[in-house]
């Protein structure tokens, strides 16, 4: 195996899981965290007690609070912070890497842009980018359970080199060049997972959940096509794969957040109880902004956004959706 130095920027559950995977397969990984106390704890415990307790770090995984050193020493740089911190992280990079890969799912809250557009603005439109997305709960990847993901890129050489890093043993990596589609899927499935959580929290049944997933997928595809994505992406791992995973399994933080809202817990209390990033809470308004800008109808996302803005109750979300005029599928 050709050992590489890899910097993972962001020491939450997903960055840590991918760092563990890459170190286990033999690479040297620098895991950067922005909180020096958290980095010191990870260094002492040789684990990440805050986000992935009970999973020991392999020998070649080193936590670090030194951002510039991580970039300097890395052959490959992978960003793993939440979408609200993505712009800040790319603006901090002083030495331009050979390309940028990221694990983040979401839309930039300041500019309403896809993260690939932020990277293009900073490093140029032909700069190699790679997005890792798909049904992949951090804990399962860290435990080496079978997982398959999509890797979208604008540069086939860079894409293959990232696949070579990741594709081992129980992690399969499928390639696509549909950066727009993969990012739209990753942002919207979180909003829909909140919706499915709300529905289950209210005590509605399996019929309601299946309807939300199916009609939600139609919304996702409508917006994606309007932005230039390809239809087949929505039936792939980043689309229906991640949508089903996140809407149906209680490992999903977005789904659990929705469950709490459906049980009448306030938005703030629900977010505090989850205690980790709930991307859909922030991304719902970005998705609705893009839908309006591109004249795309997205009633489910709009209702969930209205609830997250404190304008309607969980029950009203369902009433409003059910009372819409009949239409063709
Ligand atoms: N967890 C999962 O299973 C998966 C997650 N993702 C995506 O990966 C991204 C990261 O999620 P995940 O790791 O799970 O989130 P977590 O909530 O587990 O961790 C978020 C991490 O980001 C750090 N952070 C927050 N703000 C900043 C900042 N301004 N600068 C640097 N670091 C910051 C947090 O630090 P602190 O502890 O100090 O708050 C924490 O270490 C999200 O977009 C998510 O949707 C994608 C696939 C799977
Ligand atoms: O994106 C994920 C799995 O693919 C994680 O989803 P949550 O952020 O809802 O936990």
């Amino acid at each position: 195996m050709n050992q590489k130095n890899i910097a993972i920027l962001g020491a939450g559950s997903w960055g840590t899981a991918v760092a563990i995977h890459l170190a286990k397969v033999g690479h040297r990984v620098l895991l950067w965290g922005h909180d020096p106390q958290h980095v010191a704890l990870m260094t002492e415990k040789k684990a990440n007690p805050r986000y992935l307790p009970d999973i020991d770090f392999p020998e070649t995984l080193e936590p670090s609070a030194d951002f510039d050193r991580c970039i300097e020493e890395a052959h490959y740089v992978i960003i793993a912070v939440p979408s609200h911190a993505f712009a800040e992280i790319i603006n901090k990079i002083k030495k331009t890497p050979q390309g940028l890969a990221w694990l983040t799912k979401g839309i930039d809250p300041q500019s309403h842009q896809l993260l690939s557009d932020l990277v293009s603005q900073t490093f140029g439109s032909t700069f190699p980018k790679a997005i890792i997305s798909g049904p992949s709960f951090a804990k399962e990847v860290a435990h080496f359970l079978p997982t398959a993901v999509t890797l979208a890129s604008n540069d086939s050489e860079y894409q293959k080199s990232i696949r070579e890093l990741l594709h081992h043993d129980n992690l399969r990596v499928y390639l696509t060049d549909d950066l727009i589609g993969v990012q739209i899927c990753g942002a919207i499935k979180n909003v829909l997972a909140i919706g499915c959580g709300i529905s289950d929290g209210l005590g509605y049944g399996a019929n309601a959940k299946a309807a939300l997933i199916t009609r939600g997928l139609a919304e996702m595809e409508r917006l994606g096509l309007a932005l230039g994505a390809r239809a087949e992406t929505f039936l792939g791992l980043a689309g229906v794969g991640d949508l089903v995973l996140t809407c149906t399994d209680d490992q999903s933080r977005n789904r659990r957040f929705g469950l709490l809202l459906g049980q009448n817990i306030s938005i703030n209390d629900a977010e505090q109880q989850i205690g980790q990033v709930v991307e859909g809470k922030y991304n719902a308004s970005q998705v609705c902004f893009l839908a309006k800008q591109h004249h795309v109808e997205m009633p489910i996302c709009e209702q969930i956004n209205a609830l997250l803005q404190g304008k309607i109750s969980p029950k009203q979300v369902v009433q409003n959706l059910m009372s819409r005029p009949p239409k063709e599928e």
Side-chain angles (χ1 to χ4, degrees):
M1 213 257 332
N2 190 1
Q3 189 186 52
K4 298 287 183 199
N5 292 345
I6 303 160
I8 306 249
L9 309 178
S13 49
W14 192 210
T16 304
V18 173
I20 290 171
H21 170 81
L22 289 168
K24 262 192 192 163
V25 302
H27 297 292
R28 180 172 167 259
V29 183
L30 284 163
L31 177 61
W32 174 80
H34 71 150
D35 173 358
Q37 278 183 343
H38 181 215
V39 171
L41 185 71
M42 290 193 290
T43 308
E44 185 202 326
K45 303 280 183 201
K46 295 188 175 22
N48 187 344
R50 192 183 287 178
Y51 290 107
L52 275 181
D54 310 325
I55 305 181
D56 292 339
F57 285 173
E59 276 302 309
T60 56
L61 196 172
E62 181 191 339
S64 172
D66 186 340
F67 187 86
D68 291 339
R69 180 189 151 226
C70 290
I71 306 280
E72 283 287 333
E73 293 187 10
H75 299 113
Y76 292 96
V77 176
I78 302 178
I79 301 179
V81 294
S83 57
H84 66 78
F86 192 89
E88 179 193 325
I89 293 299
I90 59 172
N91 289 330
K92 258 165 78 154
I93 297 176
K94 292 191 195 121
K95 183 190 159 209
T96 307
Q98 59 155 326
L100 261 187
W102 61 94
L103 304 164
T104 310
K105 289 173 183 165
I107 294 166
D108 177 51
Q110 258 89 47
S111 65
H112 311 292
Q113 282 180 306
L114 297 181
L115 304 181
S116 57
D117 291 331
L118 293 187
V119 174
S120 290
Q121 272 160 20
T122 308
F123 297 103
S125 59
T126 58
F127 180 73
K129 307 176 219 16
I131 303 156
I132 298 134
S133 195
S136 49
F137 285 129
K139 205 166 155 193
E140 296 191 9
V141 169
H143 279 296
F144 249 32
L145 297 179
T147 301
V149 293
T150 299
L151 173 60
S153 181
N154 61 329
D155 181 305
S156 63
E157 284 311 303
Y158 181 67
Q159 184 178 37
K160 282 183 201 139
S161 67
I162 298 286
R163 176 175 65 181
E164 206 174 308
L165 298 179
L166 288 167
H167 188 111
H168 285 282
D169 304 319
N170 272 348
L171 184 60
R172 285 188 65 76
V173 178
Y174 289 83
L175 305 186
T176 176
D177 61 0
D178 188 3
L179 279 82
I180 296 173
V182 164
Q183 290 177 99
I184 286 297
C185 288
I188 298 179
K189 67 91 190 174
N190 285 331
V191 180
L192 297 170
I194 295 177
C196 285
I198 293 171
S199 177
D200 283 344
L202 283 166
Y204 296 136
N207 295 352
K209 188 160 53 200
L212 279 170
I213 293 173
T214 313
R215 296 308 302 160
L217 180 63
E219 291 189 11
M220 207 186 231
E221 183 171 358
R222 276 204 294 274
L223 181 62
L225 294 180
L227 289 165
R230 282 204 307 275
E232 61 264 31
T233 302
F234 299 89
L235 296 181
L237 290 163
V240 78
D242 210 1
L243 180 64
V244 169
L245 178 94
T246 324
C247 287
T248 61
D249 193 282
D250 285 349
Q251 285 178 79
S252 162
R253 295 145 317 173
N254 286 283
R255 177 181 153 75
R256 279 188 278 124
F257 174 72
L259 277 169
L260 292 169
L261 299 185
Q263 291 157 1
N264 257 331
I265 311 287
S266 74
I267 294 173
N268 283 347
D269 288 353
E271 199 174 13
Q272 278 206 340
Q273 280 192 39
I274 300 297
Q276 280 184 272
V277 67
V278 180
E279 285 283 19
K281 174 174 181 272
Y282 299 98
N283 280 202
S285 62
Q286 319 307 322
V287 168
C288 292
F289 179 93
L290 290 178
K292 202 167 171 197
Q293 194 179 45
H294 293 271
H295 310 289
V296 175
E297 217 190 348
M298 300 188 75
I300 300 172
C301 290
E302 276 158 19
Q303 290 300 317
I304 296 166
N305 186 40
L307 179 145
L308 293 171
Q309 306 297 321
K311 293 181 184 153
I312 54 173
S313 72
K315 274 210 163 121
Q316 274 172 304
V317 168
V318 183
Q319 276 160 12
N320 292 350
L321 288 171
M322 293 309 284
S323 60
R324 279 166 48 80
K327 55 185 292 201
E328 290 187 15
E329 191 172 24

